[in-house]
Amino acid sequence: MKGRTFFVLLAALVGALAIGALFILLAKSDPIRAYQVMLTGPFSSSFGFTETLVRTTPLLLTGLGIIISFRCGVLNIGGEGQILIGAIASAGMALAMPTLPGVVLFPLVLLAGAVAGGLWGAIAGVLKARLNVNEILSTVMLNQIAAQLYLLLIRGILIDQQEVTYGTGVPQTALLPDAVWMTRLIPGSRLSTGFILAIVLAIAVYYLLMHTTIGYRLRAVGAGPQAARYAGINVPFYMALSMFLAGALAGLAGTVEVLGVHHRALEDISAGYGFSALVAALFGRLHPIGIIPASMLFGALILGADMMQRAVS
């Protein structure tokens, strides 16, 4: 059975590469050169390696949240919206109290991003738990609402006033106070301590799910809600909790992008991480440790695709 699965996956990979090569040929470019850049570019220099880890960080954080909700039987497709809500909440908190010392402001900003993302995720969780609303539909719709709300804020009350003064109108906030910027792990790169935070949280989620009573109940609800209810577990509560935790981790992903990479909230900050994290979580077999290499792989593929586009354009 395992051998058959391997050959099915191999056939799917070869088929995907062949179809991609066909489109590259139609664009009058060299598919061999394109795939060479995509597969080797992320590992050919220190820039490629650090940028791979930069992209790994939001994938890992969002994917951990997806694992929690999926393990509880709630299909969370709302990572994209939760990232945006966390990003704008953290940026708004930092800009609202810029004079606070960093030792106070930094944890407040992290908390704001996590809580905002968690509450946004909990909307779908409560709708699922109390009204049996399909969570796939609700999270997809919440993604659209979050995207419009995010754009409204960075084009409106949170827009950088310099953009208004100069008349350029670029939708982004002002730079955040230096006190909340995450430390860069390698000088000259964009890789920040957010990557370390993501690894630590992966270990924490593993411990939560596998070695705590709360984790056991979350997994029990996912394995069989009727049996869990018969055993005395508050099924609606744990469904809502799983989505709150999922949203909080995705919100932290948005916060790390703001504090560690861009130092402001700007348009297209997510770059589709919410949907890519879903695939990475499944590829990591919904395991909090397995998603670490899976996120690195998909981070490399995302960076490689960007490099390939520039190489063949």
Side-chain angles (χ1 to χ4, degrees):
M1 181 63 69
K2 290 184 178 180
R4 181 181 178 183
T5 301
F6 171 78
F7 283 111
V8 169
L9 293 174
L10 181 62
L13 175 61
V14 172
L17 292 174
I19 294 172
L22 175 62
F23 281 104
I24 294 172
L25 286 172
L26 291 175
K28 299 180 180 179
S29 296
D30 182 359
I32 296 178
R33 167 64 178 163
Y35 284 139
Q36 180 183 17
V37 171
M38 183 182 75
L39 296 175
T40 64
F43 311 104
S44 61
S45 64
S46 59
F47 169 80
F49 177 72
T50 57
E51 283 297 307
T52 294
L53 296 184
V54 168
R55 287 159 174 76
T56 296
T57 302
L59 291 175
L60 178 52
L61 286 169
T62 308
L64 288 170
I66 290 171
I67 287 171
I68 292 174
S69 62
F70 273 46
R71 285 295 188 103
C72 193
V74 184
L75 306 182
N76 177 25
I77 317 295
E80 192 77 4
Q82 294 150 17
I83 289 173
L84 294 177
I85 294 299
I88 199 61
S90 58
M93 176 66 76
L95 293 171
M97 296 183 289
T99 58
L100 283 179
V103 69
V104 176
L105 184 58
F106 182 74
L108 282 178
V109 170
L110 286 179
L111 183 63
V115 171
L119 292 175
W120 196 259
I123 295 173
V126 171
L127 289 174
K128 167 73 173 180
R130 295 299 181 184
L131 302 176
N132 200 29
V133 175
N134 186 287
E135 69 273 26
I136 297 177
L137 295 177
S138 62
T139 51
V140 168
M141 289 190 289
L142 283 167
N143 282 342
Q144 296 301 316
I145 297 171
Q148 296 303 316
L149 178 60
Y150 181 84
L151 289 175
L152 175 67
L153 291 173
I154 64 173
R155 289 175 176 171
I157 60 175
L158 291 180
I159 191 171
D160 186 354
Q161 289 304 307
Q162 288 189 351
E163 300 295 337
V164 177
T165 302
Y166 298 151
T168 50
V170 176
Q172 62 184 23
T173 67
L175 280 174
L176 305 186
D178 295 358
V180 298
W181 291 12
M182 286 184 161
T183 304
R184 294 287 166 87
L185 293 177
I186 300 176
S189 75
R190 300 196 304 165
L191 181 62
S192 74
T193 50
F195 176 70
I196 297 177
L197 174 64
I199 297 296
V200 171
L201 286 174
I203 298 171
V205 169
Y206 170 77
Y207 183 82
L208 170 70
L209 286 177
M210 305 302 175
H211 297 284
T212 68
T213 301
I214 292 175
Y216 170 78
R217 290 174 178 174
L218 288 169
R219 291 185 289 115
V221 171
Q226 296 298 331
R229 185 176 290 108
Y230 182 77
I233 297 174
N234 188 340
V235 172
F237 171 78
Y238 283 97
M239 283 185 174
L241 176 63
S242 72
M243 283 299 294
F244 176 83
L245 294 175
L249 286 163
L252 276 178
T255 301
V256 169
E257 284 294 291
V258 170
L259 304 186
V261 180
H262 306 290
H263 301 150
R264 66 170 85 219
L266 42 77
E267 194 172 12
D268 298 326
I269 194 171
S270 175
Y273 289 133
F275 300 113
S276 298
L278 175 61
V279 183
L282 294 173
F283 194 80
R285 302 184 67 85
L286 296 178
H287 194 284
I289 304 302
I291 195 178
I292 296 176
S295 296
M296 291 180 178
L297 172 62
F298 278 86
L301 290 175
I302 291 171
L303 177 62
D306 291 341
M307 291 180 167
M308 179 182 72
Q309 186 175 9
R310 290 192 295 269
V312 301
S313 59

